[in-house]
Amino acid sequence: MKVLVIAEHDGSKLSDATARTVTCANAIPGASVTVAVLAADPQAVASQAAALNGVADVLTVAHADLSHPVAAIWASTVETLAAGFTHLLMGSTALGKELLPRVAARLGVAQISDCMEVLGAHRFKRPTYAANALVTLDCPADKLVVATVRLASFEAAGSGGSAAIHASAVAVKNPGHTRYGQLATVQSDRPDLTSAKRVVSGGRALASRDNFELIYGLAKTMNAAVGASRAAVDAGYAPNELQVGQTGKIIAPDVYLAIGISGAIQHLTGIKDAKTIVAINKDPEAPIFEVADLGLVGDLFEVVPQLKAELGG
Amino acid sequence: MRRIVVGIKRVIDYNVRVRVKPDGSGVITDGVKMSVNPFDDIALEEALRIKERGQADEVVAVSIGPDDAQAQLRTALAMGADRALLIKTDQTLEPLAVARVFESVIQKETPFLVLLGKQAIDDDAAQTAPMVAALWDRPQATFCSKLEIDADLKTASVTREVDAGLETLSIDLPAVVSADLRLNEPRFVKLPDIMKAKKKPLDIIDINNLGINIQAQHTLVTTEPPKPRAKGVVVSDVKELVHALRQKGLVA
């Protein structure tokens, strides 16, 4: 099987999403994995992709119009690159979710979203209904398999490989109808939410943006990433990129602290793969306690400072 | 006519605890409350606000589904859509087939904007909006949290919720935009509007009359519930919690 993975990066650093996608790609029986790097200057990212274990070779496409990840611009290039491959994969990231369906539709093939398990070269498991119903699907063997990968289901591939890097001559066709503006991102010294081993997450009960600093404080003490429930993001206590759940980020840390989060099923979807879930909530009936490995019923405004002190912060 | 097409999907209500059928053929829908996909509500609300700002003349709600989806289209009409279109099918369509149907509706309705939900909360596929844009060969702006249409309806500025934060795009119109959670807060339907909606036009077209290939490419092998998590323990205070976390080696 010839598997093409489209790399995600910020222009200089390869995303952890790609390392996880490579692991999924190698779960396909008989896979030979190619990573394609589309960028204005792909060299640095291509070297990182070539160093991933389980990558057979790396293709680069260099063009000024590829300097930002715009699905409408990337789609035709990816479509052309995919010729000759049996599988086309990307992480279930914002970019993967907007680029691969565009490519799949152009090619007339159905897509698997959020592949969580590879059961064969053409058989995959994926979550539906906020992961309350897992479906196993067979794809036709005579068509390209297009799939986004549920990143929480796969570990990141390690590095130590040394794949060859080739420049691809594939054309870049900018349809000219979509112009990239800018990315507004909150600078944070906390670890990345999707790949962190420890996550401290806050909910509606924090009650204000100022109070949400308690979450940042505890996260700093624990060297953890910060997450938030939809309610906390909707209320403006935390920025959108911290949202965890069905429509936010799906994560699988070693430990997840849910603080003042009631635990709506949409939120639980995002944390089901956490190895240990800790719930701190005033309401002993909160649904979060149904999934928590460790629960503490109490007022977060008392518990969190105590916890921080106990942990040496 | 400056027209906006909005997609309305009939899904199991988001408050329902979904259960898998014992034979693995799907999930239980008999006697289960059905609603408009919440993201489609947001898409419709945005269309209505654009019309109320005087930038559109007509909002058309389109659903692809069984006869019962008329109920969701009536809700859309009660919210303020001007007319509705049901493309009737009892088959469960893959997003690619849905996109092909939308493309055919678009050819007929010639909208300057197609507003869809970013994902449906049943299959969670999040494919339809980019697929419609691809087949239509027009721009797409997915996960939209802010939409500003220029006065001449030639371009739009879009803010998108992406993994690293908020991204802005400028797109030419017509285009496909998919609604994210924070685009707006949909209005509540009032009783008089429900009465009025009964008089609004709702056309039904049999999907077989469109001549579109809607054949599924994937075959369902089985549907299964997720494995339940082992029952946890409730600790009595912070010291006990920290002790348990240290025992598991999760904190220093």
Side-chain angles (χ1 to χ4, degrees), chain A residues 188-191 199-202 206 209-227 257 259 303-313:
Chain A
S188 166
D189 52 358
R190 300 266 51 82
V199 174
V200 179
S201 203
L206 267 299
R209 186 193 282 247
D210 287 347
N211 291 342
F212 209 85
E213 289 298 325
L214 279 171
I215 301 294
Y216 285 101
L218 179 58
K220 192 170 182 196
T221 301
M222 292 178 62
N223 190 25
V226 173
L257 268 71
I259 298 174
V303 170
V304 173
Q306 284 175 29
L307 183 56
K308 192 163 175 278
E310 282 288 330
L311 293 173

Side-chain angles (χ1 to χ4, degrees), chain A residues 129-151:
Chain A
Y129 293 96
N132 287 300
L134 313 178
V135 297
T136 299
L137 297 168
D138 275 342
C139 301
D142 60 348
K143 282 191 161 74
L144 176 72
V145 173
V146 179
T148 59
V149 175
R150 186 175 181 277
L151 299 172

Side-chain angles (χ1 to χ4, degrees), chain B:
Chain B
M1 178 92 83
R2 301 170 300 168
R3 188 175 287 135
I4 302 176
V5 163
V6 180
I8 299 290
K9 187 175 187 184
R10 173 184 169 88
V11 298
I12 293 180
D13 188 83
Y14 78 102
N15 277 316
V16 171
R17 215 169 249 249
V18 171
R19 305 213 181 274
V20 172
K21 284 183 189 166
D23 68 357
S25 65
V27 302
I28 295 168
T29 52
D30 286 350
V32 168
K33 187 185 176 196
M34 304 297 283
S35 297
V36 173
N37 176 40
F39 292 98
D40 299 348
D41 258 340
I42 299 170
L44 175 57
E45 175 65 35
E46 195 64 18
L48 297 175
R49 290 185 189 187
I50 292 166
K51 189 188 163 195
E52 285 159 4
R53 285 202 298 267
Q55 291 190 296
D57 303 307
E58 187 180 59
V59 174
V60 184
V62 178
S63 193
I64 302 160
D67 222 13
D68 290 340
Q70 286 188 58
Q72 282 65 45
L73 286 173
R74 287 290 169 203
T75 304
L77 292 169
M79 264 180 82
D82 297 289
R83 61 187 173 89
L85 189 58
L86 172 63
I87 312 295
K88 205 174 114 181
T89 175
D90 288 326
Q91 229 178 296
T92 302
L93 300 195
E94 288 172 348
L96 179 60
V98 170
R100 285 175 174 153
V101 173
F102 266 105
E103 207 250 337
S104 119
V105 169
I106 287 166
Q107 296 309 331
K108 191 158 166 288
E109 301 285 351
T110 62
F112 73 92
L113 183 64
V114 175
L115 269 162
L116 303 171
K118 78 160 177 177
Q119 76 191 70
I121 61 165
D122 51 3
D123 62 17
D124 284 329
Q127 297 173 16
T128 300
M131 285 187 160
V132 172
L135 299 179
W136 193 17
D137 200 14
R138 292 302 307 164
Q140 66 188 47
T142 54
F143 322 133
C144 173
S145 63
K146 192 176 176 198
L147 175 60
E148 291 169 303
I149 312 268
D150 293 351
D152 60 5
L153 301 190
K154 291 269 194 287
T155 59
S157 306
V158 188
T159 302
R160 309 177 54 231
E161 293 199 359
V162 297
D163 296 331
L166 296 172
E167 179 191 286
T168 53
L169 284 182
S170 162
I171 54 173
D172 291 348
L173 296 174
V176 178
V177 172
S178 83
D180 212 320
L181 287 171
R182 284 164 282 273
L183 182 58
N184 59 53
E185 268 191 51
R187 66 196 64 187
F188 287 104
V189 174
K190 297 185 207 80
L191 190 60
D193 297 327
I194 296 173
M195 303 310 288
K196 257 192 277 176
K198 288 183 178 159
K199 296 202 182 82
K200 289 184 178 176
L202 192 167
D203 293 326
I204 301 173
I205 299 172
D206 190 305
I207 201 163
N208 297 314
N209 294 340
L210 295 176
I212 295 168
N213 176 9
I214 55 163
Q215 207 186 348
Q217 294 181 13
H218 297 158
T219 317
L220 178 69
V221 179
T222 187
T223 307
E224 64 192 296
K227 288 189 187 73
R229 282 184 86 96
K231 186 102 184 85
V233 292
V234 173
V235 296
S236 54
D237 57 27
V238 169
K239 278 198 165 31
E240 212 181 310
L241 175 61
V242 171
H243 179 70
L245 287 172
R246 285 204 174 117
Q247 265 196 334
K248 286 171 173 253
L250 294 170
V251 294

